[in-house]
Amino acid sequence: MRFEIGDKIVYPNHGAGTIIGIETKEILGDEKQYYIMELPIGDMRVMIPIDRIDEIGVRGIIDEEEADQILALLKGDKSKMSQNWNRRYRANMEKLKTGDIYEVGGVVRDLTIRDEEKGLSTGEKKMLSNARQILISELVLAKDMDEEEVIDIIDNAFDNNPHIEEEE
């Protein structure tokens, strides 16, 4: 699939952004074309090799209807997860690597609920933070909202999640 300047895309493990340019760079004597993607969060730019976008899993962003489905997913039941943090970490890492927004949303939901119930290891806290950033970046573009609005919507989804037990 070929993208154009102005297209909104998702780069797995980095999140969503807008293509602001296409550049040719010579690296180690090899000339390649790159998409220059600007992320809506953190004022970051990423260079994506055009000849590897399928292999990397670059895709267009979801539409607003799918964004609403993702927000509904956050209110759902936690998936069955291994009690072993190492297995759980690896399973969640595999889900994030797919770049599938539903998998990312599931990781955010599951780790948020687990954090509320039992707490998370340092590695899982970092994973949750990264997964939230990936989710937020795509929802910002899909819903045409700013970062704070999207964070509030996500936080409200968890505040109203019946699957998170309130502390007495």
Side-chain angles (χ1 to χ4, degrees), residues 104-117:
V104 173
V107 169
V108 169
R109 178 199 59 219
D110 293 348
L111 289 181
T112 300
I113 293 172
R114 183 163 183 92
D115 192 27
E116 293 288 327
E117 293 174 351

Side-chain angles (χ1 to χ4, degrees), residues 2 6 9 11 18 26 28 30 45-46 65 74 77 81 84 87 92 120 122 126 129 137 139 159 161:
R2 184 98 172 137
I9 62 171
Y11 184 12
T18 305
E26 186 179 325
L28 300 172
D30 200 13
R45 290 186 177 175
V46 179
E65 187 178 313
L74 298 178
D77 283 341
M81 293 187 293
N84 177 304
R87 279 195 199 114
N92 283 328
L120 295 174
T122 305
K126 187 171 182 344
S129 176
S137 70
L139 291 175
D159 290 344
N161 186 322

Side-chain angles (χ1 to χ4, degrees), residues 9-43:
I9 62 171
V10 176
Y11 184 12
N13 290 335
H14 285 81
T18 305
I19 296 174
I20 59 166
I22 298 173
E23 293 182 11
T24 302
K25 297 267 185 197
E26 186 179 325
I27 299 176
L28 300 172
D30 200 13
E31 243 184 42
K32 288 189 178 188
Q33 280 198 308
Y34 293 86
Y35 290 126
I36 308 302
M37 180 178 88
E38 186 172 66
L39 284 86
I41 298 170
D43 200 28

Side-chain angles (χ1 to χ4, degrees), residues 8-9 16-18 40 61 136-145:
K8 293 170 175 43
I9 62 171
T18 305
I61 66 164
I136 290 165
S137 70
E138 187 158 3
L139 291 175
V140 161
L141 295 175
K143 295 191 77 56
D144 195 24
M145 297 176 141

Side-chain angles (χ1 to χ4, degrees), residues 22 50 58 69 92 94 100 109 125 138:
I22 298 173
I50 292 176
V58 173
Q69 290 172 7
N92 283 328
E94 288 304 312
D100 182 309
R109 178 199 59 219
K125 282 183 180 175
E138 187 158 3

